[in-house]
Amino acid sequence: ESIQQKFKSYNEQMANSWLDEIIEGDNIDQLLENRFLDSNITPSDFGDIVGILLSAEQLDFEQWKQIANKGLELVYEQTIFTLRNLVENETDDEKRFNAIRVLQENGGIDEEMKNRIREKESDETILEMLKE
């Protein structure tokens, strides 16, 4: 458990250093592939990283979606958890919208969660999407 905590801290530092390198228009799939090789990280390590990356401010939508897709591929449950957390706690309407859309596309949102979102959501675009 102690070793896991050290790796988690290391992984979080690594994710933040990756974010420092990302610029608009970067191909995140290629960046992740290179970083996976350079860092010898495992899919479970990516589980520690995916939440940090999906919460980052500097990513454009395509980059964000590439990270979400890589997370779904490597660490499905942790990525779904992170996306649900974004839906519940994110103040940015676009990020909430994108997280809901990815959850819907991947079976990660049920009627109970939709109802909870509807109760507190004020963005009309999100409310309309939840009707689908």
Side-chain angles (χ1 to χ4, degrees):
E1 194 172 305
S2 175
I3 293 171
Q4 275 185 310
Q5 286 303 319
K6 288 184 193 289
F7 272 106
K8 183 175 181 162
S9 175
Y10 172 77
N11 290 338
E12 290 170 355
Q13 290 173 2
M14 185 171 36
N16 287 316
S17 74
W18 292 1
L19 287 172
D20 290 339
E21 297 175 29
I22 296 172
I23 57 173
E24 189 174 328
D26 275 353
N27 180 330
I28 298 298
D29 284 334
Q30 186 63 47
L31 181 130
L32 290 176
E33 185 176 320
N34 291 340
R35 294 303 169 262
F36 281 18
L37 291 172
D38 293 345
S39 306
N40 293 319
I41 67 170
T42 66
S44 63
D45 292 323
F46 193 68
D48 294 338
I49 294 170
V50 72
I52 294 167
L53 297 177
L54 289 176
S55 298
E57 295 295 321
Q58 69 265 44
L59 301 175
D60 63 36
F61 173 69
E62 285 304 315
Q63 293 170 329
W64 185 90
K65 187 157 181 157
Q66 289 173 346
I67 289 168
N69 288 336
K70 184 58 78 175
L72 291 167
E73 175 188 329
L74 297 176
V75 285
Y76 179 85
E77 292 298 325
Q78 287 171 295
T79 303
I80 292 294
F81 176 82
T82 297
L83 292 169
R84 287 179 178 161
N85 193 36
L86 280 173
V87 169
E88 300 278 341
N89 300 308
E90 180 60 53
T91 58
D92 182 272
D93 293 343
E94 285 185 37
K95 281 191 179 184
R96 279 196 324 279
F97 177 89
N98 293 332
I100 292 168
R101 184 168 49 173
V102 171
L103 285 169
Q104 284 183 317
E105 291 171 355
N106 292 280
I109 190 168
D110 58 20
E111 281 304 313
E112 182 180 323
M113 185 174 187
K114 285 182 183 182
N115 289 334
R116 281 195 319 271
I117 296 167
R118 285 183 194 114
E119 287 175 7
K120 64 181 188 177
E121 186 59 60
S122 60
D123 183 273
E124 289 299 322
T125 309
I126 292 174
L127 291 170
E128 188 64 32
M129 181 177 50
L130 290 170
K131 291 180 183 176
E132 299 171 4

